[in-house]
Amino acid sequence: MSVFEGKAWISKQGLVDVSIEVENGYISSVKKTSLEPKKEKAQGLILPAALDMHVHFRDPGYPHKEDWKTGSESAACGGVTAVVDMPNTNPFTSDISSFKDKEQIAKSKSIVDFGIGINVEENLTEQDWFGTVPAAFWKLYPYGISSDDYFRLAKEVLDKTKKPMVVHCEHPDYMYNNPLEKLSDHTENRLVAEEKCLASMPSSEYLHVAHLSTANGLKNLPPLSSTEVCPHHLLLNLDNCSSLDCKVDPPLRNVSDNTSLYDAYRNGKIPILASDHAPHTIEEKKSDTPPSGMPGVETMVPLMLQEVVENRLDLGRLVNSMAEAPATRLGLNRGRIEVGQPADLMFVDLNNTVKIDIDNLHSRSNWSPFEDWNAVFPHKVFRRGELISENSEVVSNSGGINLFD
Ligand code: NCD
Ligand code: ZN
Ligand code: ZN
């Protein structure tokens, strides 16, 4: 048994001095400060660790960009103890064998717990494994598909599914891939793609809208759906991140979009924080035709903790959006410091702001649009009671499990 003591964020109560007992990785008791021997006295605060429901760990297929080892190490050092990986690997995760192959790779290499998303393709709902595969969700992309097929498939899956369907909602008819001279051309090409997509998307409690990026998208959210926002759509815009390496899908916009999204995030209309960690190498990003995407799983929590330090965000709101809300959305009972929950915890010291330094990050992409930004990194991170990272150093080499098994 291990014991964690300190000031912890307890759901519905706030910061409380507690002693947390952990047995076999799960919390067995939470008591207001006790006289137990002090095994793990936290410096600063004890917070639930994050579940990032949107990462691209590129494995199998693109190990030069990332793999389950480097991706999960990056997660762990950023306070993320569970991730859900997207299906656009090579091969795509779109059937039972590619699912099992990826699960095997993740089990052998990942130091954080995980889920896997399966790509929505023709006839998905007729597969004999549709109702049984232990996947986190279905994922629908707007790339290389007609709008008729895109919305038909969306409806077909939403009508039959019992798990969330996550959509990258940019309308296939409104994405113009004209050559780019400057970053704003990319934004211009997709100016209304998000709002048009959302306006045509059927409403369903199973619908989850990935990486919301515009004020107009927010206005057009289907009523029953849930959504997520990424730090880059809250904090970056065409003014403060205007070089071509800031190309990301959906694109960066204006400060006014940041503000609308941030307000909605603050008040819970956008319940979930996710990174859309989409690593590419610096050479790829600096080329004339940079791919879209930026890394983010390691900087998401640290950047938002800094937002708390600067009084732009409430600590309770951050904790809920990064831990409990994504778990609940995926049908998982986790994300709170409470008896019976996995002991996925991090220690953070809100007095310890540092500048983001690429040399201290673990993603193979080896760059970040947030270089030199102020941030608060967790100094210890525990996955099911086990220390997996300390002061941005990895101290574990495997152990991640499929949370949906
Ligand atoms: C993602 C990627 O690189 O896989 N890129 C991105 O710009 N977000 C794909 C995606 O999430 O749409
Ligand atoms: Zn996407
Ligand atoms: Zn993505």
Side-chain angles (χ1 to χ4, degrees), residues 54-56 58 86 88 139 141 143 168 210-211 228 230 249-250 275-278:
H54 192 152
V55 305
H56 300 263
R58 311 294 193 204
M86 290 296 177
N88 61 338
K139 175 70 190 282
Y141 282 106
Y143 305 115
H168 178 129
H211 45 42
E228 71 194 23
C230 309
D249 294 338
S275 73
D276 192 10
H277 177 76

Side-chain angles (χ1 to χ4, degrees), residues 4 40 49 81 343-347 380-389:
F4 300 80
E40 269 293 350
T81 54
D344 281 32
L345 306 169
M346 63 175 134
F347 294 176
K380 286 191 186 200
V381 179
F382 301 85
R383 182 216 62 220
R384 284 177 281 113
E386 187 185 323
L387 184 69
I388 56 171
S389 76

Side-chain angles (χ1 to χ4, degrees), residues 187-242:
T187 305
E188 202 59 33
N189 287 341
R190 281 138 185 258
L191 209 53
V192 296
E194 184 172 82
E195 62 194 86
K196 294 280 185 196
C197 177
L198 287 165
S200 299
M201 200 37 86
S203 183
S204 161
E205 62 180 297
Y206 294 106
L207 179 67
H208 178 77
V209 177
H211 45 42
L212 195 69
S213 69
T214 58
N216 286 339
L218 189 61
K219 288 185 199 139
N220 282 290
L221 274 180
L224 300 175
S225 65
S226 60
T227 188
E228 71 194 23
V229 70
C230 309
H232 52 267
H233 290 127
L234 293 174
L235 304 174
L236 300 181
N237 51 64
L238 290 169
D239 294 326
N240 69 2
C241 204
S242 58

Side-chain angles (χ1 to χ4, degrees), residues 23 39 47 50 72 74 97-98 110 160 162 298 311 335 338 377 395:
E23 272 174 80
K39 295 257 173 58
L47 303 180
S72 68
S74 197
S97 87
S98 52
S110 181
K160 300 213 172 120
K162 294 268 184 302
E298 190 163 357
N311 288 320
E338 205 176 282
F377 284 82
V395 294

